[in-house]
Amino acid sequence: MRNKQPTLAQSFAALLAAPSISAIDASQDQSNKPVLDLLCNWFGDLGFQCQQQAVANTRDKHNFVATLGQGNGGLLLAGHTDTVPFDEGQWQVDPFKLTEKDGKWYGLGSCDMKGFFALILEALKEIPLDKLQRPLHILASADEETTMNGAKAFAANAAIKPEYAIIGEPTSLRPVYMHKGHLAQGIRIVGRSGHSSDPAKGLNAIDIMHLVIGQLLKLRQHLAENYRENAFSVPYPTMNFGHIHGGDAANRICGCCDLHLDIRPLPGIALQDLELMLHQYLKPVVSQYPGAVTISTLYPGNEAFKDSADSAWSQLVASLAGNAPEVVNYATEAPYIRQLGCHTLVLGPGSIEQAHQPDEYMAQDQLKPTVELLRKLIWHACIKD
C-alpha cells in the first residue's frame, strides 16, 4: 500500500527545509542527499524506479533519477537540487522555512529551483500513471550552481533515451530554446619588482598586462565581427574585463598583475575552441615574455545551448504555455541534457529576477498554471496515442 502523498505546501516546505547549498568554498558547500532522500520516498511511493548516483569530483553530491515505464522515448523532467549560498543579514524571512505572505511563497530554492520538484509531484496526483505508453523520467541533479558536474556526469553515463526534455528553471513559464555559454578566465602576469627610479632593473607586470589587454581587445573585435545570432538582444559573443589588480605603491615597479574576464559565446562556439582562440591571440605576448604570463580557468565553464524554435515539440509547448519560444542570456544545464539526443526546452515557474536574491520567492499565481501545464506535457509526451 502506498503512503499518503504530501500536499503541495508540505512537499514545498520539506524541500526548503533540507539545505543543499553549492559553493566553491568548502566551508559553505553542502551535500544534497537530504533532498534526494525526500524525492526517493515520494516518487518511489508512486511506483517510480529510483536511483541515487554519486557524482565524481564533488563533496558527497549525488544525482537522482526516477523512471516510470519502459523503453525509449517519453519525457524527461529535469532540475537541480542545489541552491546558492545566502546572505543571512539581507533576508527578512528564514531561508529554510516556507513563509507565505502577500501571495508569495518565500524560501531559498523556492523558484531556483527545488520548488519545481514539488510541482511535478503535485501534477502526478491526477495523472493515470498506469496508462503511460512511453516512459516518464525525473532527473534531480547536483552542483548546477557551481560546476554543473551533476548534469555533465548524467549526460556522459545516461541509460535513458527520452524524446523530449523540460528543464524547470525559472522562466515565468516561457519556453527557452537557446542561450549563450560562459567561460571565465584568469590571466596573471609575474614580473620583477623594484624601485621606480630605475625601471630597467625590474619588469613591470602592468606594462605586460597592457599588451595582453590589447590582444584581448583584438579577440573581442574578431568575435563580434565573425559570429552572430540575431535572436539575442546582444547578437554577438561578449567579452568583459571584470577584475584587475596589480602593484602596491606608486614608487614601486609592479611585480604582479591579475585580470579576470568572462566570455559569453554563441551556440556553435565550443568552450575548447574559445580557449584555443584566447591562447592564440596571447601567443605574441607569451613569446615576448617567457614564463611571465599564466592563463587559467577561474571555474568550470558552460557550453552554449541551442534547440529549435520551429520543431513540433517547441511549437506544442509554446501553444500549451501560451508563450512563444525565446532566448535568454543566462546559462543552464540544457546543453548537457541535449546531449541525450532529445528535444530540449528550459521552462519553469518563477522569475529569473528572483534567482540568487535575498527573500527569494515563488508567486502563488504560478503554482496552478505550472501543475496544469506539466499534466498536459506528460499527457502529450507519455500517454497520448
Side-chain angles (χ1 to χ4, degrees):
M1 182 177 178
R2 292 178 182 171
N3 295 326
K4 182 180 179 181
Q5 288 287 301
T7 65
L8 176 58
Q10 288 172 337
S11 58
F12 218 100
L15 290 168
L16 298 183
S20 54
I21 291 170
S22 282
I24 299 297
D25 182 352
S27 66
Q28 293 184 291
D29 200 39
Q30 298 173 324
S31 172
N32 65 339
K33 281 281 288 175
V35 175
L36 268 57
D37 290 341
L38 290 171
L39 298 179
C40 193
N41 288 335
W42 294 336
F43 287 101
D45 284 343
L46 290 174
F48 282 76
Q49 297 295 315
C50 301
Q51 295 183 340
Q52 296 189 36
Q53 304 164 344
V55 178
N57 302 314
T58 65
R59 303 181 184 100
D60 192 27
K61 307 294 181 73
H62 294 70
N63 288 334
F64 167 84
V65 182
T67 296
L68 187 64
Q70 311 219 345
N72 294 330
L75 176 64
L76 169 65
L77 297 174
H80 60 85
T81 57
D82 57 324
T83 71
V84 294
F86 68 98
D87 298 314
E88 187 170 359
Q90 296 184 27
W91 279 70
Q92 303 301 309
V93 298
D94 185 341
F96 302 110
K97 181 180 179 181
L98 176 61
T99 300
E100 182 178 349
K101 184 173 61 174
D102 300 326
K104 301 168 184 175
W105 280 2
Y106 289 87
L108 182 62
S110 54
C111 79
D112 187 24
M113 60 168 293
K114 291 193 286 188
F116 182 63
F117 298 108
L119 291 164
I120 295 173
L121 196 69
E122 187 70 11
L124 293 176
K125 291 179 182 178
E126 294 187 19
I127 290 177
L129 297 177
D130 58 337
K131 304 295 185 183
L132 293 186
Q133 303 294 313
R134 292 165 295 280
L136 174 62
H137 309 281
I138 314 296
L139 167 66
S141 65
D143 270 9
E144 187 271 351
E145 298 289 5
T146 50
T147 64
M148 295 207 182
N149 279 342
K152 293 172 184 177
F154 173 75
N157 301 285
I160 64 172
K161 294 293 182 183
E163 187 172 2
Y164 310 111
I166 295 290
I167 302 173
E169 291 277 6
T171 69
S172 300
L173 296 181
R174 299 177 181 275
V176 170
Y177 72 94
M178 182 166 59
H179 64 63
K180 291 183 179 180
H182 183 234
L183 179 69
Q185 298 281 283
I187 299 172
R188 169 165 288 186
I189 311 297
V190 177
R192 293 189 307 276
S193 60
H195 199 283
S196 63
S197 63
D198 193 348
K201 289 186 177 179
L203 181 62
N204 196 307
I206 292 177
D207 288 349
I208 301 174
M209 186 63 81
H210 173 72
L211 300 176
V212 165
I213 291 175
Q215 291 299 111
L216 290 173
L217 291 174
K218 292 179 183 178
L219 174 56
R220 177 196 280 175
Q221 183 176 2
H222 169 80
L223 292 170
E225 291 178 349
N226 291 276
Y227 299 91
R228 194 169 190 87
E229 175 51 74
N230 288 325
F232 289 101
S233 58
V234 181
Y236 49 83
T238 58
M239 178 188 295
N240 178 66
F241 303 144
H243 164 91
I244 191 166
H245 181 267
D248 49 26
N251 62 352
R252 272 172 54 84
I253 298 168
C254 174
C256 184
C257 187
D258 286 295
L259 172 68
H260 294 176
L261 66 137
D262 88 344
I263 306 175
R264 295 183 180 268
L266 299 173
I269 308 175
L271 295 186
Q272 184 177 1
D273 294 339
L274 198 56
E275 290 188 51
L276 182 59
M277 285 187 217
L278 186 71
H279 282 263
Q280 288 174 335
Y281 270 79
L282 295 184
K283 188 175 181 179
V285 183
V286 172
S287 299
Q288 185 178 353
Y289 296 97
V293 184
T294 302
I295 306 168
S296 62
T297 298
L298 295 176
Y299 44 83
N302 308 120
E303 298 284 353
F305 157 69
K306 183 178 182 179
D307 206 292
S308 170
D310 299 322
S311 71
W313 174 245
S314 292
Q315 290 301 306
L316 171 64
V317 175
S319 175
L320 295 175
N323 292 301
E326 61 183 43
V327 305
V328 295
N329 289 310
Y330 54 83
T332 75
E333 295 173 319
Y336 309 107
I337 301 302
R338 186 75 177 85
Q339 291 175 12
L340 303 181
C342 49
H343 294 289
T344 303
L345 294 172
V346 185
L347 171 69
S351 169
I352 192 63
E353 300 300 324
Q354 283 302 309
H356 304 185
Q357 298 298 315
D359 294 332
E360 175 187 347
Y361 66 81
M362 173 75 73
Q364 286 180 268
D365 62 9
Q366 290 269 286
L367 301 177
K368 184 177 179 180
T370 302
V371 170
E372 293 176 349
L373 178 58
L374 287 170
R375 286 172 180 157
K376 292 174 183 176
L377 293 174
I378 293 168
W379 186 83
H380 278 278
C382 302
I383 298 176
K384 182 181 178 183
D385 292 331

